[in-house]
Amino acid sequence: MRRRLRMGNLWPWKLELRGTPSRTMTYLSPVLAVVLTMLLGALLFIALGKDPLAGLKVFLIDPFNGKRAISELLLKSIPLILCALGLAVCFRANVWNIGAEGQFTVGAMCAGAALVLIDVPGHAIPGGLGLFLMIVAGILGGAFWAGITALLRDRFNANEILVSLMLTYVAQLLLMYAVNGPLKDPNGMNFPQSKVFSGEFMLPALLSGTRLHIGFAVTLVLAAVMTVFMTRSLRGFSLFVGGAAPHAARYAGFSSRSALWTSLLVSGSFAGLAGAFEIAGPIGQLLPSVSPGYGFAAIIVAFIGRLHPVGAVLGGLVMSLLYLGGELAQSRLGLPSAITGVFQGMLLFLLLASDTLIDYRLRRKAKV
């Protein structure tokens, strides 16, 4: 008689549904995901023929090696945290905005266009006013791009996931047109870029001798403001209820249409602000490569932070660590640039896997 060997019977554990979701695992899951990512990263280094301890040192220790290294870590976290703050509002409201990358790009493009118009020889606009106008242009640009998604969802019931994602590629094409056309530097030797902006229109340094600018302090203030908004205001509560229990929200008189527009406009504004900070901070001009994927990485950051502003700050620092670790791994270990994306992908996959333990527990199977 033929015996059938089922692989499932070889595994001595099973998933058992919890009576109530585990609050402990809700906060422990991101920590578990980060630890498992580093352990799998060590195995990846071994597979690539690299010393795993040296590889983990590059990712976990070297980004904290001195004042300049720490300042770069904080600098890299600014756009990640800002985008994640906006995405947390959307996801809490059950509005799936996947287009923060496009909103970041349009915000940077609008802010760059404002500086190109303002930063001319003999201008009469003070640097402080110019910075303010640049930031407003970035915020409005990001909000406008997110508003397109809100309009199509509101009027035609279009899927916001597809619309926001597709608009990201439209935004990238618009940026390429801008830096090859109206915003192109006439003295830039035909490179697709804007001119380098004057120092008076750059964000002031927060730490002398480093590239860290005042945008980091603004980001922390905004995280505190969003914490109050999401946890202590009626509007924030209505967004949360609308996402968690739509029928209860309608019964309570909360407008789903208002939640859609509010969440997307807030998210787009934060992404646009991040784009403005990027071109008036570490880049100093408008380039086609203005973002290495901050808007997409911020989705992971938002979920690492449990859709909470304080968590978004911590998640942004973790993701910034992966970005800097990937750059150092290229220069010191000779690894390809894709190593950053591999670590980000592992972190996302392991976070989703660890989140399973919020609603389920591992139980050993009874012996038959």
Side-chain angles (χ1 to χ4, degrees):
M1 183 178 180
R2 180 182 298 178
R3 294 182 179 179
R4 291 185 178 179
L5 183 62
R6 296 184 179 180
M7 295 301 295
N9 293 334
L10 298 177
W11 179 250
W13 301 90
K14 67 177 180 178
L15 286 175
E16 181 181 87
L17 184 66
R18 298 179 186 269
T20 57
S22 170
R23 187 174 180 85
T24 301
M25 281 307 304
T26 299
Y27 297 102
L28 189 60
S29 173
V31 178
L32 179 62
V34 171
V35 172
L36 291 176
T37 298
M38 293 305 154
L39 291 178
L40 285 181
L43 295 178
L44 176 63
F45 289 131
I46 294 174
L48 294 174
K50 305 295 182 181
D51 181 359
L53 294 180
L56 291 179
K57 176 178 177 293
V58 164
F59 270 87
L60 299 177
I61 298 177
D62 289 353
F64 296 98
N65 188 17
K67 172 178 146 180
R68 182 175 178 82
I70 294 175
S71 69
E72 288 296 316
L73 177 70
L74 300 180
L75 178 69
K76 187 74 75 173
S77 71
I78 294 173
L80 294 166
I81 296 172
L82 286 174
C83 290
L85 288 175
L87 289 174
V89 175
C90 274
F91 297 158
R92 272 179 171 254
N94 205 23
V95 176
W96 298 100
N97 175 22
I98 311 298
E101 179 76 3
Q103 295 143 27
F104 177 99
T105 300
V106 173
M109 184 170 58
C110 291
L115 284 183
V116 167
L117 293 175
I118 293 170
D119 188 10
V120 294
H123 64 82
I125 298 180
L129 178 58
L131 270 176
F132 174 76
L133 294 175
M134 178 274 300
I135 290 172
V136 170
I139 293 173
L140 292 179
F144 168 76
W145 209 245
I148 298 176
T149 300
L151 177 65
L152 293 177
R153 166 69 187 274
D154 185 26
R155 294 293 299 274
F156 306 104
N157 198 31
N159 187 296
E160 74 272 17
I161 297 176
L162 295 177
V163 172
S164 60
L165 180 60
M166 293 300 102
L167 282 174
T168 295
Y169 302 105
V170 177
Q172 291 172 350
L173 291 174
L174 285 175
L175 176 60
M176 284 299 298
Y177 165 74
V179 295
N180 281 283
L183 301 183
K184 187 175 183 179
D185 182 7
N187 300 317
M189 300 180 65
N190 208 33
F191 284 103
Q193 62 187 26
S194 74
K195 66 178 181 179
V196 178
F197 304 125
S198 301
E200 61 184 308
F201 296 114
M202 295 293 97
L203 292 167
L206 187 63
L207 198 60
S208 62
T210 69
R211 299 196 304 162
L212 183 64
H213 55 73
I214 199 173
F216 182 72
V218 174
T219 299
L220 295 182
V221 171
L222 289 175
V225 170
M226 292 306 295
T227 300
V228 174
F229 171 76
M230 295 173 70
T231 62
R232 293 290 185 268
S233 71
L234 177 61
R235 188 63 185 152
F237 176 72
S238 69
L239 291 174
F240 174 73
V241 173
H247 296 294
R250 284 195 292 270
Y251 182 79
F254 298 147
S255 169
S256 60
R257 184 169 182 261
S258 176
L260 170 70
W261 279 94
T262 300
S263 58
L264 277 170
L265 291 179
V266 168
S267 182
S269 297
F270 273 102
L273 177 62
F277 279 176
E278 197 68 8
I279 67 155
I283 297 180
Q285 63 181 147
L286 192 60
L287 298 171
S289 57
V290 66
S291 171
Y294 290 136
F296 292 125
I299 297 173
I300 307 176
V301 171
F303 281 105
I304 290 176
R306 309 285 83 177
L307 305 183
H308 191 282
V310 175
V313 174
L314 299 177
L317 293 174
V318 170
M319 189 60 67
S320 176
L321 197 66
L322 295 184
Y323 270 110
L324 288 182
E327 293 173 2
L328 292 173
Q330 293 175 58
S331 59
R332 298 183 183 181
L333 300 179
L335 293 177
S337 60
I339 191 69
T340 301
V342 171
F343 268 81
Q344 290 177 358
M346 287 194 299
L347 178 59
L348 176 59
F349 176 79
L350 292 169
L351 179 64
L352 295 174
S354 300
D355 280 352
T356 304
L357 298 177
I358 296 175
D359 295 309
Y360 294 86
R361 61 165 61 92
L362 281 174
R363 289 281 193 187
R364 183 177 288 274
K365 293 179 181 179
K367 293 183 179 181
V368 180

